[in-house]
Amino acid sequence: MNRPVVEIERERKYEVAQDTVVPEFVGGGTVQGQDAPAEEKLDATYYDTTEFSLVRAGITLRRRVGGHDAGWHLKLPVGPDEREELQVPLDADADADAGKVPGELNRLLRAHTLGRKLLPIAHLKTDRFSHRLTDSAGQVVATVTDDHVTGEVGGKTARLDRWREIEVELAGDAAPELLDELESTLVDAGARTSRWPSKLRRLIGDRVPDGQVTGKRSDAGEIVGAYLREQLAALQRADVGVRRDVEDSVHQLRVASRKLRSALRTFSSIVDDDRIPNVTRELKWLGGELSPARDGEVVEALVRGWVAGAPAELVVGPVDQFLTRRFAREAADARKKVLEALRSKRYLVLVQELDAVVSGVPTDTGPARSVLRKPVRKAAGKLRKAEQAAHGLSGRELEHALHDVRKKAKRARYAADVVRPVFGGKVRGWRKNVKNVQELLGEHQDWVVAGPVVYRLGVDGHDEGVGFTFGVLYGTAGGVRAGMRREFVSRWKRLEKGAAPKWL
């Protein structure tokens, strides 16, 4: 099967009355030309699980017949007015003719569907009238579509609806500000910004409740549950990115898995689920599967950064070409390992259990302001003990101890993130100082991890005439780490003396 065609969709939707006239956009602004409407008849079937897993994540999957872009369309949220659309032709997969979701799209959505089948959930027919808008040079800057929609959705109670809406979609090179300019004209003509992100979401309406509850008077379980749902959603988004080889997606997946693991451990008494020990162990396994790929990215960036800033006389031989060959090979091996993990039954079971645990967080655990203090206090105490344990150490023992301080600082920072909706500014200053410590020790650990890699680069690069440069870098790294350890002492003092809630 061919890889999906990827397009960025920047658009806004508007509700209009049936008798609204599409306005003229030509005037003193960007738009200097407006084509007569071109009609298309579109027939789309939308797919999701019976639990509306995709809709809940802001994802749309449809099979469209008719129009210039007939095929399978997978729309992934990017920003408020922006979505990424993956298009697969109808004849690109043997299953497509039978109405089954193409295999590649199905696999991309595995973390969202959790192994459940994707089934037709709604059917929309649209009579579309498209107006192309051009600038003074005759270049298309946007398309305004006047859609007359008929939709039906099944389930326990069927629903049939008809409505009219206008969409404004920018062309690839158009400035984002043009959306505001065109909106002004539409509002003057009686249009209202749609409260629905998609036609499907409008059709299914309240069948997919939001379910997000936060606030200073909330139950502790509501606060923790909201954070866990946010991080699970981040993991699912990053999962799709990793499968598509999107830049930084491995890092985002590892961060989400770490935040989930940390929150489940820190607030285990509130989540109160027997599956937590197994889920946290499996999240640690996932982190281990992702580490080679992420560590490789970090070390390569560190080494290339040093080489780019080094005096010319210290960069001897074809260093850049050597690094490209070396890291490209290792990155390919690491990516293969990551994909094997994501395609495994073990990972699917992990995400299924995560979903079950997160969905089942109780909401009768007590007032958030009193219940949430103890877990954060405990995390802060572990951080202080880790710092004290590093006193008097040197060499590898000190490196290991500082790495432990970093991990405890990260856990304390994540704990502060969970309770911020309740305590707000009272934990903000303390969290900032904890983050400063954590980030510095993170950089220190990067240099620790890079040490053996740089040494190996020097040995292996000897015969290619680049060994000298990596030898210099290896010697420099020791001084860099020593400087960071001195800076750690200063940052720790700021943390101890900085503002913090009295209960900490």
Side-chain angles (χ1 to χ4, degrees):
M1 167 178 173
N2 296 328
R3 293 184 65 84
V5 175
V6 180
E7 294 184 356
I8 296 296
E9 187 179 70
R10 297 179 295 159
E11 66 177 20
R12 289 181 188 173
K13 299 179 182 293
Y14 301 89
E15 299 177 9
V16 293
Q18 290 294 339
D19 59 352
T20 300
V21 176
V22 176
E24 287 290 327
F25 294 91
V26 178
T30 304
V31 178
Q32 297 298 313
Q34 180 169 334
D35 289 356
E39 184 178 9
E40 292 179 315
K41 292 188 180 295
L42 312 175
D43 190 310
T45 302
Y46 288 77
Y47 287 74
D48 205 334
T49 66
T50 54
E51 297 80 10
F52 296 109
S53 304
L54 302 186
V55 172
R56 291 176 185 274
I59 296 172
T60 300
L61 174 63
R62 71 185 178 208
R63 182 177 186 267
R64 175 188 279 175
V65 178
H68 67 282
D69 60 349
W72 288 90
H73 301 164
L74 174 62
K75 297 189 177 186
L76 305 170
V78 176
D81 298 318
E82 189 173 345
R83 292 193 293 179
E84 191 172 31
E85 181 175 307
L86 281 63
Q87 299 180 1
V88 176
L90 292 177
D91 60 354
D93 194 304
D95 290 335
D97 291 335
K100 294 181 180 180
V101 178
E104 183 163 349
L105 298 183
N106 215 332
R107 289 187 290 271
L108 277 179
L109 298 170
R110 196 178 187 213
H112 289 282
T113 63
L114 306 177
R116 305 183 187 108
K117 288 186 176 181
L118 287 166
L119 305 169
I121 60 164
H123 184 211
L124 277 80
K125 291 186 176 181
T126 303
D127 195 5
R128 168 168 290 180
F129 300 88
S130 300
H131 303 254
R132 295 195 311 168
L133 307 182
T134 55
D135 59 15
S136 58
Q139 297 296 315
V140 176
V141 292
T143 300
V144 174
T145 57
D146 177 15
D147 289 345
H148 300 252
V149 187
T150 300
E152 60 179 321
V153 60
K156 293 181 179 179
T157 57
R159 174 184 295 168
L160 179 67
D161 198 3
R162 292 183 176 87
W163 71 92
R164 184 180 170 210
E165 68 180 40
I166 289 179
E167 293 181 1
V168 177
E169 182 175 355
L170 296 185
D173 296 333
E177 295 78 17
L178 180 57
L179 283 174
D180 294 329
E181 184 181 326
L182 299 178
E183 179 172 292
S184 177
T185 301
L186 281 167
V187 170
D188 289 343
R192 303 185 309 276
T193 301
S194 177
R195 64 191 182 101
W196 304 110
S198 67
K199 292 180 176 66
L200 174 63
R201 194 67 178 83
R202 170 174 179 150
L203 180 61
I204 62 178
D206 57 2
R207 297 189 181 199
V208 187
D210 186 10
Q212 300 290 331
V213 182
T214 58
K216 291 189 176 182
R217 296 187 179 181
S218 296
D219 181 88
E222 293 172 344
I223 297 297
V224 175
Y227 180 85
L228 290 172
R229 288 192 295 272
E230 178 184 337
Q231 298 312 317
L232 177 56
L235 181 144
Q236 292 169 322
R237 288 193 301 272
D239 173 289
V240 176
V242 171
R243 294 174 192 270
R244 296 179 53 215
D245 200 17
V246 175
E247 184 178 358
D248 199 44
S249 55
V250 171
H251 174 54
Q252 296 303 323
L253 182 57
R254 191 163 72 159
V255 168
S257 65
R258 282 177 170 175
K259 288 184 175 181
L260 283 162
R261 180 168 175 250
S262 179
L264 287 170
R265 294 174 66 190
T266 301
F267 299 96
S268 59
S269 61
I270 296 171
V271 179
D272 191 26
D273 194 304
D274 293 340
R275 291 168 290 195
I276 289 177
N278 182 63
V279 169
T280 54
R281 278 195 302 270
E282 291 300 279
L283 284 169
K284 184 176 182 180
W285 161 79
L286 176 61
E289 298 299 295
L290 299 174
S291 288
R294 178 56 185 164
D295 289 347
E297 292 173 350
V298 170
V299 171
E300 180 178 5
L302 187 151
V303 172
R304 288 190 181 277
W306 182 86
V307 169
E313 62 269 18
L314 298 183
V315 183
V316 179
V319 172
D320 187 65
Q321 296 91 322
F322 178 80
L323 290 175
T324 297
R325 290 197 308 274
R326 180 64 168 260
F327 283 116
R329 182 171 64 250
E330 293 181 356
D333 292 341
R335 174 165 173 75
K336 182 179 178 182
K337 178 181 176 68
V338 169
L339 290 178
E340 286 175 353
L342 296 193
R343 293 166 180 165
S344 68
K345 177 68 174 177
R346 182 174 183 176
Y347 174 72
L348 178 60
V349 171
L350 165 60
V351 183
Q352 289 171 335
E353 286 204 335
L354 259 176
D355 181 74
V357 171
V358 171
S359 300
V361 177
T363 56
D364 57 353
T365 58
R369 292 187 66 80
S370 57
V371 175
L372 293 177
R373 291 181 179 183
K374 183 178 178 180
V376 182
R377 210 163 35 227
K378 187 175 180 180
K382 288 183 176 181
L383 171 58
R384 286 192 291 270
K385 288 181 180 178
E387 189 277 335
Q388 292 167 3
H391 292 181
L393 300 180
S394 60
R396 291 295 176 86
E397 288 185 340
L398 178 58
E399 289 178 354
H400 289 308
L402 291 178
H403 184 43
D404 189 50
V405 176
R406 177 206 178 195
K407 291 190 291 186
K408 296 299 190 298
K410 187 175 294 186
R411 187 167 174 179
R413 171 192 164 192
Y414 293 160
D417 288 340
V418 175
V419 304
R420 247 195 316 192
V422 179
F423 298 107
K426 292 184 178 180
V427 298
R428 188 176 297 118
W430 178 76
R431 177 195 176 278
K432 180 180 178 181
N433 286 331
V434 170
K435 182 181 178 182
N436 287 339
V437 167
Q438 174 219 316
E439 289 185 339
L440 176 70
L441 293 181
E443 293 176 16
H444 180 270
Q445 182 63 17
D446 291 343
W447 279 94
V448 171
V449 172
V453 177
V454 173
Y455 177 83
R456 193 72 252 168
L457 289 173
V459 172
D460 295 345
H462 179 267
D463 292 339
E464 297 192 39
V466 297
F468 171 79
T469 296
F470 298 117
V472 174
L473 174 55
Y474 187 79
T476 301
V480 173
R481 292 195 297 270
M484 290 181 173
R485 290 193 290 270
R486 290 191 294 271
E487 174 63 18
F488 164 69
V489 174
S490 299
R491 294 195 185 189
W492 184 262
K493 287 180 180 178
R494 287 198 292 273
L495 171 59
E496 287 186 315
K497 296 178 180 179
K502 292 181 179 180
W503 49 267
L504 272 177

